[in-house]
Amino acid sequence: MASARINTGTAGNDLLANYTTQPGVHDEMIGADGAVKPAWRDLMEHLGGLSPEGMAHRFARGDQYLREAGVFYRQYDDTVSSEREWPLSHIPVVLGESEWAEIGAGLVQRADLLEHVVQDFYGANDLVRTGQIPAALLGQNPAWLRPMMGAHPKSEPFLNFLSFEIGRGPDGKWWVISDLVESPTTTGFAIENRVALTRVFPNFFSNANVHRIAGFFQAIQQRLFDLRGKGTGQIAMLSPGPMNQHYAEHAYLARYLGLLLVEGEDLIVTDGQAMVRTVSGPKPLSLLWNRVPAAMIDPLELDAGSLIGTPGLLDALRRRTLRTLNAEGAGVLETRALMAFLPKIARKHLGQPLIMPNIATWWCGHAAERDHVINHCEQMMVGSAFSTVPLMADPGTFVFDADKQGSFPEHVMKLLQTSGRELVGQETVTLSTTPVYENGRLVARPMCLRVFLVRTARGWQMMHGGYARVSGGNDPKALAMQRGGQVADVWVVSDRPVPQTSLLTPTADAPTRAFSEAALPSRAADNLFWVGRNVERAEFNVRLFRAYFARISDGVSPDAPILRYIRKRLMYDVSAEVAKIAERFETPLYQGLHAATKIGDRFSPDGMKALKDIVQDVDRLRATKVEPDDVLSEISLLLRKITGFSGLVHENMYRSHGWRFLSLGTSLERAAGMVRVLRELGRADAPDGALNLALELGDSIVSHRARFSVVADKASVFHMLALDGNNPRSIRFHVSRANQQIKELPGQTGGAVLGAVAQRVLLLETQLATISTDKLTEEVFDQIEAELWALSDALTETYLV
């Protein structure tokens, strides 16, 4: 083990004193001479000047940003998935500008080669005809989509956005681990990693010559608009939905680039034209950035069991009424076995070898290659030929173990002999290491880079930086987050000042990111509507139980008439136990959170975090034994958080159709809750104190005292909570507000006759504006409640289904 030190005379010596590199392994920070590489020196000197406490404080600042931004990953267990904190390594991977240019040259060459191969696969098929590719690798390959044969115009590229996973060997040379073509992931997380590290190293980063990455996203944005051309249809990102491990990235990219985020159920294909279901009716879709597995995008022609695709999408693609960022079916390029043939294809097609080779790969369908794999088993990984997962990341990969066997196990040998065409062998990889900060010191861990390319009018453009995966230990197969791996930002350092690019200051030729306000998918509107309803329902329950326990805290017996009445008429005989009470809050809050997670591109990260915090508080309230004297304070605190959340969301949300549906959900739920309160507490047999309880539930005690210089009676309370148009807790106020929101919805005004929803809400508002308090009987309240739910049904039928 070689120890590395930096001769700076700073605390950097202490930080690096115990850093050791592994024999026979290339280290990204330490050169062959044992000295810190030039690209790393400024960063290490900066770190060396920090105390352990200062470093911990800075790292915590980056983690806090990630939590507040809603960046997480999904941990999948046998039966459930859960959100886990983003495992950011706070030490970036640093590379010099000249080395990055060499990497770029190799990957641009490979991108051009992949374009040639995929065009042949879905066109002339010369590679198979001339024997450069075995026919079995195409004909038996599930990633080769036969319905797309001949569907793509020869004049247009198949590939517009790519990423490559690359690793560095012991000799210091880079090679390609995998080609990521179908739906390259983690681009959005690269931004979040970068932003988090600017929080960790704010002063250092601003003065360091680290290339920015925002210009790459300007190029993506421009490419999307170029592909859409003169069409006026929407540009959308198709996501599998919130349960996908990359959904947080989908939502972030959609917000960042100004795209419409849709799921399969949001789309419909009519006469070969893909449409988005919006609250304004179906709107044409021109370009799709697909993040759904290609085999699942069209259950009509591909996987009939897919629940995340849209029937007819392939027909729209063949008719060219719809385009995708990368052509569907291009994912066949990720096939493992293809790597065995790309070097020869490169020499024949390009007239030169690959600048950056891929991992040495042998397809076992040929006897000579199969024998080579068997005879060199100690250097091999063996796995499926048709899989698109890198062998080193596949848990089904067999790796030779010299301590346990002298050759491959008998079942592997049998597979190689009988089913060789379904298997490949690849050299066992030895990845370079990069420093990570663990337990107060730097340690070397295996890592690989993910590099991104986008096609522009001037050719391929590579992101100046990327996304690194770092092993959670010394095992290079433990790179995945599911196996304890970490991620790191990648800094490309220049000797000169670098351009300061940002999407907030677009270039003169940057595209206009303006979409119609009507481009609100019905599914998104539905979820916003139910966020409003469920949070308001939870707030009502919290107010009800606070009022109940306030009376107990004042010494009122649980058997007192008013408390028995509350339990029977409003709580529906729910037990007064704290755990049971919490369930009444928990259910609508969970439902509201579930709805919010489905609209991550339209819901602010602050709002999402606030809602998650409230749910966690309710979980704690239900799980913890709370003393009776403390119940009131706990519920009051919860109420303040819920009302704070409602204010945060409503006051900071752009007044779009999405905000209107959120507001409508809140107003209808609040009006219906108040109808129930007045109907039950205004009954002739209601006990003493019922009307004061109604004012308390309506948060209107102070307002009532200011308006009426009398003790609360039925007339004053009914006026205050039912008919007062200036009271934000009254039925009339929220019906009037609903009327104002509905007037702004598509199709409700502007014609000779009001729309059906506008007619219904106007009739209800008129009734409340013209009725007197003495006419507000139980039957009238029943009729008002029925009208409110009929209005909800009409909204759903018109816009949300």
Side-chain angles (χ1 to χ4, degrees), residues 67 103 161 173 332 352 396 423 428 486 497 533 635 789:
R67 286 192 297 271
I103 291 173
F161 180 64
K173 295 181 179 178
V332 68
Q352 59 181 337
L423 297 172
T428 303
Q486 302 178 74
R533 285 194 59 176
I635 293 178
W789 298 140

Side-chain angles (χ1 to χ4, degrees), residues 669-686:
E669 191 69 37
R670 183 169 292 182
M674 189 52 63
V675 167
R676 183 156 62 93
V677 165
L678 294 179
R679 181 182 58 214
E680 301 302 333
L681 297 181
R683 290 165 56 97
D685 60 347

Side-chain angles (χ1 to χ4, degrees), residues 7 25 107 141 207 264 292 305 331 374 444 449 495 521 530 568 577:
N7 299 318
V25 177
L107 295 182
N141 196 329
N207 296 314
V292 168
I374 293 172
L449 300 185
D495 295 331
W530 280 101
K568 180 178 180 181
E577 296 177 12

